[in-house]
Amino acid sequence: MKNPKVRQVVLPLLAAVIWGGSFVTQSLSASRMGTFSFGMMRMLLASLFLLVLVGISRRLHPRAKYGRAQKKELLFAGIACGAMLSLGINLQQYGMKETSAGKGGFITALYIVLVPVFGLLIGKKPSRRVWLFVALAVGGLYFLCFTGDEGLAFSDGDFYIFLCAIAFALHIMVIDHFGSRVDSIELSCAQFITVAVISGICALLFGERTTAEEIMTCLPYILYAGILTGGVGYTCQIVAQKDGDPTVVSLLLSLESFFAVVSGAIFLHERMSLREYFGCALMLTAVILSQLPEKSAKAVESGKEA
């Protein structure tokens, strides 16, 4: 796939489909296996998968070995990306214990709106319209997570998924910083190894005990989350962000929320209330409009053609 324009469309769309389906596997495994144990095993599998790809790539396309400075940069990039990814996937997995696959997918999609907000921290001032989209997304989050009976209270699962969206927004920013400096597959592999190590340490610190029976029960979910969600999905993201238009890439990645709802309905028979569907619609509108070029967004808002 040598055409950059093809890469920036096909790869993020593939990642969105895979990530949307992963909410089903995470929902099914959340009550059967420890959060950090699941994270460690899925990322060990993803690391092994990519190590094989790196080995094949180097055989097919021999190149000079990395110098000391290059190794240091790859190591630092892998740790930085891995730390943010570890925070995101473990918060998400923990939150999936108490929320649905569809709802978890839509709350996670808030990372697309949070990215320009966090850009303020590095001197990138968002336009005024971005704040409108943030308000729209927060409104959608209210209808999605707060029911009339519960009042103004997040469920624990919703809260952890929201924190995971923050972590994923930071993860995207870190990849944007390092993605063009190092090899995409090797960066992906380095971040997965980092996640596996962090998750393994946390599993020990929090006293998680994983039995062979639990592993065998969750093996299909670990395989999906490791090879597809990790090895394929996150690598697609890094490759697409390397030379793709960030607007198009982010927009396509955000479709994971749609595929999460579809997967939850098909495989878990989940159904949401009209109030929750309205919240999803508001959030998806905010996500899509926030990624359109300014002229196109204004045209959409005014009902005119861009």
Side-chain angles (χ1 to χ4, degrees):
M1 215 175 291
K2 296 182 179 180
N3 189 332
K5 291 185 178 180
V6 174
R7 279 205 299 272
Q8 75 175 31
V9 173
V10 174
L11 295 184
L13 184 58
L14 177 60
V17 174
I18 292 172
W19 290 349
S22 73
F23 285 94
V24 172
T25 64
Q26 289 178 248
S27 181
L28 291 170
S29 62
S31 60
R32 297 176 172 89
M33 191 173 184
T35 297
F36 297 112
S37 298
F38 183 79
M40 177 189 67
M41 291 184 182
R42 65 182 284 198
M43 287 307 171
L44 279 176
L45 191 57
S47 302
L48 292 173
F49 175 75
L50 287 186
L51 282 173
V52 172
L53 286 186
V54 169
I56 294 173
S57 175
R58 288 188 174 181
R59 280 185 171 275
L60 295 176
H61 306 285
R63 62 186 180 209
K65 292 183 178 180
Y66 277 180
R68 185 175 181 179
Q70 289 175 308
K71 289 180 179 178
K72 185 176 180 180
E73 187 165 39
L74 178 61
L75 177 62
F76 186 77
I79 291 174
C81 292
M84 290 299 101
L85 183 59
S86 178
L87 187 61
I89 68 164
N90 285 310
L91 282 168
Q92 187 182 65
Q93 179 67 13
Y94 192 78
M96 289 306 297
K97 292 181 178 181
E98 298 183 38
T99 194
S100 67
K103 186 182 287 188
F106 267 94
I107 298 175
T108 299
L110 272 177
Y111 68 80
I112 302 297
V113 181
L114 291 171
V115 168
V117 176
F118 289 156
L120 285 170
L121 300 177
I122 55 176
K124 294 183 178 180
K125 186 177 180 180
S127 63
R128 284 181 294 179
R129 68 189 185 93
V130 169
W131 301 114
L132 172 63
F133 304 147
V134 170
L136 193 62
V138 171
L141 192 62
Y142 169 79
F143 285 104
L144 181 61
C145 301
F146 300 143
T147 68
D149 296 332
E150 294 171 346
L152 293 175
F154 263 129
S155 73
D156 289 342
D158 294 336
F159 178 69
Y160 286 116
I161 297 292
F162 176 71
L163 292 181
C164 118
I166 295 176
F168 283 144
L170 294 173
H171 180 242
I172 288 175
M173 295 178 71
V174 174
I175 288 178
D176 280 338
H177 181 71
F178 289 108
S180 60
R181 301 184 182 186
V182 295
D183 180 83
S184 299
I185 297 179
E186 292 178 3
L187 172 58
S188 192
C189 186
Q191 75 168 353
F192 292 155
I193 292 173
T194 301
V195 176
V197 171
I198 292 175
S199 297
I201 292 173
C202 289
L204 291 174
L205 290 177
F206 286 91
E208 289 188 357
R209 298 288 184 269
T210 303
T211 65
E213 183 180 355
E214 289 174 336
I215 294 174
M216 292 308 298
T217 301
C218 294
L219 186 58
Y221 316 137
I222 296 172
L223 290 172
Y224 185 99
I227 295 176
L228 291 179
T229 304
V232 178
Y234 283 109
T235 303
C236 284
Q237 176 197 2
I238 290 177
V239 175
Q241 281 191 241
K242 193 179 185 72
D243 56 12
D245 181 340
T247 297
V248 177
V249 172
S250 298
L251 174 60
L252 291 171
L253 287 175
S254 72
L255 291 175
E256 69 170 301
S257 58
F258 168 76
F259 292 115
V261 172
V262 172
S263 299
I266 292 174
F267 297 105
L268 301 178
H269 308 293
E270 293 180 349
R271 295 292 183 271
M272 291 191 289
S273 66
L274 288 176
R275 179 189 178 94
E276 290 172 323
Y277 278 119
F278 180 66
C280 287
L282 285 180
M283 288 182 64
L284 188 58
T285 299
V287 166
I288 292 175
L289 289 180
S290 71
Q291 297 308 308
L292 291 176
E294 189 163 359
K295 290 183 179 179
S296 298
K298 287 180 178 178
V300 172
E301 291 167 352
S302 62
K304 300 176 182 179
E305 292 186 1

